[in-house]
Amino acid sequence: MNPRPWWKKLGHAGLLLAATIYCVFPIYFMLVQSLKTAQEDVFGHPLIVMNPTLENFEELFQPKGESRGFVGRTLRRSYPFLDWLENTVIVFAGSLGLTLVVSILAGYALGRLRPPGFRWWRRIVFAAYVVPHTILFVPLYQVVIRLGLDDNLLLLLLVYPTLALPFCVWILAAYFQHLPREVEESALVEGASRATAFLRIILPMSRPVIVAAGIFTLGTIASDFTLASVFLLSAHNQTIPAGLATMEVALDELLAVAGIHLMAIPVVLISALFARGYVRGLTAAMVEGA
């Protein structure tokens, strides 16, 4: 095979660089805004920060109800950001754990045990993934009112997994369906129970696709602010995205982008750390288990 000519390599590198800049630019732009003072935000260059400061991040962590002023700037209030941060951690961790437990068990039941009509069950589950979430607001609101869960964090712990479960169950069922049965059967012959074989053999072998399901769930939850802002009415019960979007802090763009960065950084780091596992998991589910 002849090596690619240099101009083709240069063209591909240029296209890759342009795509990277296009994807990363919004993050860079928001980071620049979060590091600006109010004066530089008004009079400075929109893409460059000359005097970076962390005062916007510090403002988010000021004690509740405290106010302080800045030179040349109107008085600002402190916001319940710590409450939002705590709520976000609880909701994210609880929803992620519940989604993984339910999707692993449901995916194993569909793909491994093959109940009657399992192919149709898989298709129905996948079809549920593409249902627009907005059409669920009215029935969800009725259920929430009847259960008395309005303005309650437990509501998000129950609702968020339903957004990610269809896709997670689908890829896990596809993976489990074609996982070699010999390893599991040999453990059963040697006296292990099905639960032991599942915990000690199936789960370790399924680590890549479980990682893929976890990252997908995290991304789905992190990108939502509509459900939290609709069902959690109290300011101190909201998550970071809903709090920034609905409270007065939304009028201060510098505080808003600083808060968004604080929430996005751990999500981006986790996704980058497990990016390879995410690709391997999707490949295993789509290719081996398709």
Side-chain angles (χ1 to χ4, degrees):
M1 179 180 295
N2 296 327
R4 289 184 301 169
W6 66 268
W7 56 271
K8 277 192 175 181
K9 293 181 179 178
L10 186 61
H12 292 166
L15 289 175
L16 182 60
L17 179 61
T20 302
I21 293 175
Y22 183 77
C23 294
V24 175
F25 177 76
I27 301 175
Y28 167 78
F29 182 76
M30 293 181 63
L31 178 61
V32 166
Q33 308 311 310
S34 67
L35 296 176
K36 285 182 176 179
T37 61
Q39 293 80 8
E40 191 171 357
D41 182 44
V42 176
F43 301 106
H45 194 283
L47 300 180
I48 300 174
V49 53
M50 302 302 294
N51 300 300
T53 176
L54 296 177
E55 71 175 26
N56 295 311
F57 295 92
E58 296 172 354
E59 178 71 13
L60 291 170
F61 291 95
Q62 291 298 313
K64 289 177 289 186
E66 182 176 300
S67 301
R68 64 191 176 105
F70 293 86
V71 177
R73 189 173 191 178
T74 57
L75 195 66
R76 293 198 307 201
R77 292 170 45 193
S78 298
Y79 301 93
F81 187 78
L82 289 178
D83 289 338
W84 299 345
L85 180 61
E86 181 181 355
N87 295 337
T88 301
V89 171
I90 293 173
V91 169
F92 278 30
S95 300
L96 178 62
L98 183 60
T99 301
L100 288 181
V101 170
V102 175
S103 60
I104 289 172
L105 295 177
Y108 183 82
L110 285 176
R112 202 67 170 172
L113 304 180
R114 296 193 178 190
F118 79 99
R119 291 184 183 278
W120 282 104
W121 280 112
R122 276 183 51 195
R123 294 177 182 179
I124 291 173
V125 168
F126 182 74
Y129 167 65
V130 298
V131 174
H133 299 155
T134 51
I135 69 173
L136 302 177
F137 281 170
V138 174
L140 266 178
Y141 187 77
Q142 293 175 337
V143 172
V144 167
I145 295 300
R146 288 182 179 274
L147 295 179
L149 291 177
D150 55 313
D151 203 20
N152 191 324
L153 279 182
L154 179 61
L155 166 68
L156 291 187
L157 292 175
L158 297 176
V159 172
Y160 274 159
T162 64
L163 304 181
L165 267 176
F167 184 78
C168 294
V169 171
W170 183 74
I171 62 171
L172 284 163
Y175 179 80
F176 286 135
Q177 181 183 351
H178 289 268
L179 202 62
R181 292 179 174 273
E182 289 77 9
V183 178
E184 187 180 11
E185 290 174 351
S186 64
L188 296 177
V189 170
E190 292 177 0
S193 64
R194 184 170 288 277
T196 301
F198 175 75
L199 293 175
R200 295 188 177 181
I201 298 177
I202 299 298
L203 282 186
M205 293 179 65
S206 309
R207 190 178 303 155
V209 73
I210 293 175
V211 169
I215 293 179
F216 174 81
T217 303
L218 194 59
T220 302
I221 298 171
S223 61
D224 173 77
F225 76 90
T226 307
L227 289 172
S229 59
V230 169
F231 293 116
L232 299 180
L233 302 178
S234 298
H236 299 282
N237 280 338
Q238 291 179 332
T239 58
I240 293 177
L244 292 174
T246 57
M247 295 295 292
E248 295 177 14
V249 71
L251 300 176
D252 192 331
E253 60 173 350
L254 301 183
L255 279 182
V257 294
I260 291 171
H261 265 91
L262 286 178
M263 190 201 73
I265 286 174
V267 177
V268 171
L269 291 179
I270 291 174
S271 300
L273 184 63
F274 292 101
R276 186 176 180 183
Y278 183 71
V279 175
R280 288 178 58 192
L282 286 182
T283 303
M286 302 298 179
V287 178
E288 299 176 13

